[in-house]
Amino acid sequence: IPAVMARLKRVAAEEGLPLTERSMTYNSRWAQELGKWAEERGKGEEFHHAMFRAYFAEGRNIALIEELLPVVAAVGLPQEEARTVLEERTHKAAVDQDWDLARSRGISESVR
């Protein structure tokens, strides 16, 4: 993990992206599902940038609905609709398809 973080810091610095030290890694699955929903609503790029800041710059636990909803609101999307998206898992299949595509191209979630 230290080698992965060192590379991530280097790439972030090269790209001018904010990156904070984190002691925990959080499951991003719900953020991915909200990302699909935000894309459908015409706010995908805004949402993805805001979620990047929340997770990588602010170190927020994006595995918690209470941490995701303020990000949703910050980009002008309705929080209650976002909560429904998560509770009903309306975009689970779309994210599953993305993961299947990644795996078919040799990309996995494991750190090497």
Side-chain angles (χ1 to χ4, degrees):
I1 291 180
V4 171
M5 288 308 297
R7 181 181 181 283
L8 186 58
K9 286 179 189 177
R10 182 176 42 76
V11 171
E14 289 170 3
E15 298 297 324
L17 298 170
L19 186 66
T20 190
E21 292 287 331
R22 292 188 351 254
S23 61
M24 295 291 294
T25 299
Y26 302 109
N27 188 320
S28 64
R29 179 59 193 232
W30 279 354
Q32 293 170 43
E33 292 181 22
L34 285 177
K36 287 295 193 183
W37 168 72
E39 289 167 7
E40 290 177 357
R41 303 290 304 266
K43 297 277 192 168
E45 188 170 342
E46 259 183 277
F47 177 82
H48 292 299
H49 285 285
M51 193 56 59
F52 177 93
R53 280 189 309 277
Y55 185 69
F56 288 106
E58 299 167 11
R60 291 164 64 182
N61 182 349
I62 62 171
L64 300 175
I65 292 176
E66 297 78 26
E67 292 289 340
L68 293 169
L69 294 181
V71 177
V72 165
V75 299
L77 291 169
Q79 290 185 44
E80 285 310 308
E81 188 175 333
R83 183 183 297 278
T84 300
V85 165
L86 295 176
E87 289 173 349
E88 296 181 5
R89 307 297 304 271
T90 60
H91 291 71
K92 179 185 182 304
V95 173
D96 287 344
Q97 287 178 332
D98 286 349
W99 277 96
D100 288 344
L101 178 62
R103 278 189 287 277
S104 76
R105 294 184 176 171
I107 302 167
S108 74
E109 67 268 23
S110 64
V111 176
R112 298 179 195 253

